[in-house]
């Protein structure tokens, strides 16, 4: 089992509003939720019936632009498909250019928008783009 404390350390380095170890442990104890950790990053996925969702993808700053995020997404796709998922969804902040590029390279397309979904430290709000990837054509 993946140590939620180790995941929390990585998440804290990757996000302004990180999830703590208790929150990550609770998610990992939920049905259909799994984590894939690879060195300086991890991805947390939930699979329900034929759909999967990326709950979070976190990579330490020093390990970014090394291909780690892409490898984690690909590993999650393989595992989710093996568990019966036919499509994968996620939400990404509209202003997160690097993450959006990663997901575009992986084949995700925009499926919707959640206005003002992300709260910023300065009190502003940022839209979330809902992206999807179909495993079958």
């Amino acid at each position: 089992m993946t140590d939620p404390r180790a995941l929390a350390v990585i998440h804290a380095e990757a996000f302004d509003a990180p999830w703590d170890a208790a929150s990550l442990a609770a998610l990992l104890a939920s049905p259909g939720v799994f984590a894939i950790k690879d060195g300086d990053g991890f991805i947390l996925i939930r699979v329900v019936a034929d759909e999967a969702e990326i709950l979070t993808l976190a990579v330490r700053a020093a390990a970014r632009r090394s291909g780690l995020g892409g490898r984690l997404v690909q590993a999650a796709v393989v595992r989710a498909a093996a568990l019966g998922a036919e499509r994968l969804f996620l939400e990404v902040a509209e202003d997160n250019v690097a993450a959006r590029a990663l997901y575009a390279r992986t084949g995700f397309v925009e499926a919707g928008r959640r206005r003002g979904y992300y709260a910023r430290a300065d009190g502003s709000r940022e839209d979330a783009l809902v992206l999807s990837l179909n495993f079958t054509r």
Side-chain angles (χ1 to χ4, degrees):
M1 170 144 183
T2 305
D3 179 6
R5 293 169 298 186
L7 301 182
V9 169
I10 295 170
H11 207 265
E13 290 185 31
F15 291 97
D16 293 334
W19 297 348
D20 62 19
S23 298
L24 288 161
L27 280 168
L28 287 166
S30 301
V33 176
F34 64 89
I36 299 171
K37 184 177 180 303
D38 183 352
D40 289 327
F42 75 94
I43 190 166
L44 192 65
I45 302 288
R46 177 183 4 244
V47 176
V48 177
D50 65 346
E51 293 187 347
E53 177 185 12
I54 295 176
L55 301 173
T56 193
L57 169 62
V59 175
R60 286 188 166 124
R64 292 183 187 152
R65 302 209 181 276
S66 68
L68 177 56
R71 289 191 304 276
L72 289 166
V73 170
Q74 288 299 335
V77 167
V78 169
R79 178 101 177 264
L83 293 171
E86 296 178 3
R87 68 190 107 339
L88 179 59
F89 291 93
L90 64 94
E91 291 151 343
V92 62
E94 186 173 31
D95 65 354
N96 190 339
V97 176
R100 289 178 59 196
L102 164 69
Y103 295 127
R105 284 192 304 274
T106 310
F108 282 85
V109 296
E110 189 173 334
R113 174 183 299 266
R114 297 183 193 274
R115 299 226 179 262
Y117 185 76
Y118 291 105
R120 298 297 190 210
D122 66 2
S124 66
R125 311 275 315 169
E126 182 66 29
D127 287 357
L129 301 179
V130 179
L131 305 182
S132 68
L133 174 68
N134 290 324
F135 301 164
T136 57
R137 302 268 173 212

